[in-house]
Amino acid sequence: MGRRTGAGRGALGHGWTPARGTVTLCAAAALATFVAHPAWGAPGTEGTPTPYAFAEDDTRAEGATVTADAVRLDPGHTYRSALPATGKRYYRLELDSAANAYVSATAVPGAGARVSSADGLEVSVQDAGGTTCSTGTAHFGPTRSPHPIAAWASRETGAGTYGCKGAGVYYVVVERRVPGSSASTPGDWDLELDYVSEPALDRDGATAPPGPWNSATPEAVLGDPIRRAGGAGFADASALGRGVWQDAIGPGQTLFYTVPVDWGQQLSATVEMGSSTGGDGFVGTALAMSLYNPVRAHVADADAGYNGAQTSAALEPLPPVDHANRHAVGDRVGAMRFAGWYYLAVHLGAPVADRFGDGPFGLTLRVRVSGTPVSAPVYAGRAAPRDVFAVTAADREEAAPGATGDRGASQGAPGAGAMAREDGGARGDGTGRGGPEEDTGTMRLVAAGGIGTGSVLVLGLVWWTAAARRRARDRWAG
């Protein structure tokens, strides 16, 4: 993903559990469900990103041009908005004096948009007096292709923070960062806002980061890969646990995955891109992977160039999840402050197509979650969304391989993303066709009933969509 700078003082010290079920609908209704939600079409033209899947229950929120007209955002919800080429957009928060508020904005350029590496997004939180509590930025970076980028800001009240602690009205301010020399297209960007509230601790906590931790590069995770297709956005990211996972990706595409990491545990991840069958030359930054924490705040990046031979990129070692990490300087440690679902966003730059074709290219993720979980900190209230900072046995089951944990499977070329994932995943030959050994029980029953192959695929799409909607309802409930 793009390059980011950390949020200001007050932020870092300076992306759902689906129910299982069977849905039977006619093919026409299934197809309508499939095409209704993504923001973009499947890749076809140079520089055109793959679909971004907004949350099914996003609330439409029109950003105001002045603070007096700003609409209120409620914690525990996601919102869909738009960001013009110029001008700021304002949204209102109503905060008490205890809870921490985190707001992340994901910008989605329009289909066929042009961007430069320096183009980006800025998000800040300000109090009613105009004081900036924190600011975060994100840029498209050297892949030079349009894709979702996320920046975040916060209002924090705990020990070691200064200012912006009082109850009252605050404002989220979002704007584009475009240098004067940029040749980017001026159209609106779609915007997804995620607002998470973290309660204060039951009693005063640490005021300094934890002591030394194991920062040695972990050994690579080995084993036969398991097929798991990535999602098309934070809301439908595919769950991964420890293991070796296989997918396929096309130029301009961004795939989303999510990993449950509990208090006291360490996460490591490596992404590998397979060799091409033709083409020549070199793309300087072709493959990029970004890590985000449970409030969609940036943690770390890794990237690699591509010359047609296999390549890889690994995140630098990350500390165990600890509430006190927030007192550290820098995202890589400071953002590892919550247990919950962490997000991996993998992007393949559109320029790869110019030299090596449209793909798809083989993708392998090696994920390790190590360490024994420890007791969670005792909060004085409840987070919103509920349990956003917890990892349950059901979460671990969902991320594990097998029938109970495999949420994702690819049924087509890159671009289908999370919209078609229940037939067992992309094959190792890169065709994107599913393997029969990993069919879900529902799909086997449908096939046994004599329904043709095309209907099976369509029904699989509907099954996944219904599960995603239930997942969204579960996340925001309570």
Side-chain angles (χ1 to χ4, degrees):
M1 297 277 286
R3 296 294 186 213
R4 293 157 195 83
T5 58
R9 183 67 187 175
L12 292 187
H14 6 332
W16 345 329
T17 303
R20 297 286 172 179
T22 302
V23 177
T24 302
L25 291 174
C26 69
L31 289 172
T33 301
F34 173 67
V35 302
H37 196 55
W40 298 319
T45 60
E46 179 180 346
T48 301
T50 55
Y52 181 81
F54 290 86
E56 288 284 346
D57 60 347
D58 275 354
T59 300
R60 177 66 67 174
E62 190 73 22
T65 57
V66 294
T67 55
D69 297 331
V71 297
R72 189 188 72 216
L73 305 182
D74 293 324
H77 294 273
T78 56
Y79 297 85
R80 184 166 179 175
S81 191
L83 186 63
T86 59
K88 300 177 180 180
R89 289 296 179 264
Y90 295 90
Y91 309 85
R92 188 175 84 252
L93 308 178
E94 296 181 357
L95 305 179
D96 61 23
S97 60
N100 298 320
Y102 301 91
V103 179
S104 173
T106 301
V108 185
R114 294 190 310 273
V115 297
S116 73
S117 59
D119 291 346
L121 173 72
E122 180 176 291
V123 181
S124 61
V125 173
Q126 301 175 357
D127 68 13
T131 298
T132 297
C133 308
S134 72
T135 299
T137 60
H139 300 89
F140 291 101
T143 61
R144 295 180 292 114
S145 62
H147 60 278
I149 57 172
W152 70 285
S154 67
R155 190 295 296 263
E156 299 182 47
T157 64
T161 60
Y162 308 97
C164 293
K165 291 191 174 186
V169 173
Y170 291 77
Y171 296 97
V172 177
V173 187
V174 185
E175 61 182 314
R176 284 162 69 162
R177 302 288 289 178
V178 180
S181 59
S182 174
S184 61
T185 49
D188 286 3
W189 293 349
D190 282 322
L191 200 65
E192 186 170 58
L193 301 169
D194 182 51
Y195 174 18
V196 176
S197 178
E198 179 195 27
L201 292 177
D202 186 57
R203 60 187 64 184
D204 290 340
T207 58
W213 48 275
N214 181 10
S215 59
T217 300
E219 294 183 1
V221 179
L222 302 177
D224 292 333
I226 298 168
R227 294 187 288 273
R228 185 70 58 87
F234 284 103
D236 72 343
S238 294
L240 305 179
R242 177 190 171 113
V244 183
W245 308 93
Q246 189 175 77
D247 201 354
I249 191 168
Q253 187 176 20
T254 304
L255 298 174
F256 289 79
Y257 309 88
T258 184
V259 183
V261 187
D262 211 342
W263 298 103
Q265 292 190 308
Q266 283 183 277
L267 169 66
S268 65
T270 299
V271 61
E272 300 169 0
M273 179 179 169
S275 59
S276 68
T277 57
D280 56 30
F282 180 73
V283 180
T285 302
L287 184 66
M289 176 171 65
S290 295
L291 176 67
Y292 300 88
N293 71 16
V295 302
R296 304 187 187 180
H298 173 253
V299 180
D301 295 307
D303 56 55
Y306 191 66
N307 64 0
Q310 65 274 14
T311 191
S312 66
L315 297 174
E316 291 187 33
L318 300 165
V321 172
D322 193 307
H323 187 276
N325 282 336
R326 65 192 61 211
H327 301 297
V329 176
D331 289 2
R332 187 169 62 90
V333 176
M336 300 297 293
R337 62 175 71 184
F338 311 116
W341 290 98
Y342 280 72
Y343 303 92
L344 291 167
V346 179
H347 176 68
L348 183 61
V352 170
D354 297 335
R355 294 190 176 275
F356 301 101
D358 293 332
F361 299 88
L363 195 70
T364 301
L365 290 100
R366 301 182 186 274
V367 176
R368 181 188 298 275
V369 179
S370 58
T372 302
V374 301
S375 298
V378 179
Y379 285 112
R382 191 173 71 181
R386 182 179 59 189
D387 298 332
V388 65
F389 304 131
V391 174
T392 66
D395 293 337
R396 296 187 182 93
E397 179 180 328
E398 182 179 346
T404 57
D406 190 352
R407 291 199 295 139
S410 173
Q411 287 185 323
M419 302 305 293
R421 303 195 319 219
E422 287 298 336
D423 73 336
R427 287 174 52 159
D429 60 8
T431 63
R433 297 187 297 271
E437 69 279 7
E438 289 186 297
D439 286 349
T440 64
T442 299
M443 295 303 293
R444 285 195 297 269
L445 288 173
V446 171
I451 299 177
T453 301
S455 296
V456 171
L457 298 180
V458 170
L459 288 172
L461 299 177
V462 180
W463 184 96
W464 181 88
T465 301
R469 287 173 174 167
R470 284 191 295 273
R471 177 184 69 223
R473 288 195 298 269
D474 289 345
R475 183 186 180 197
W476 308 123

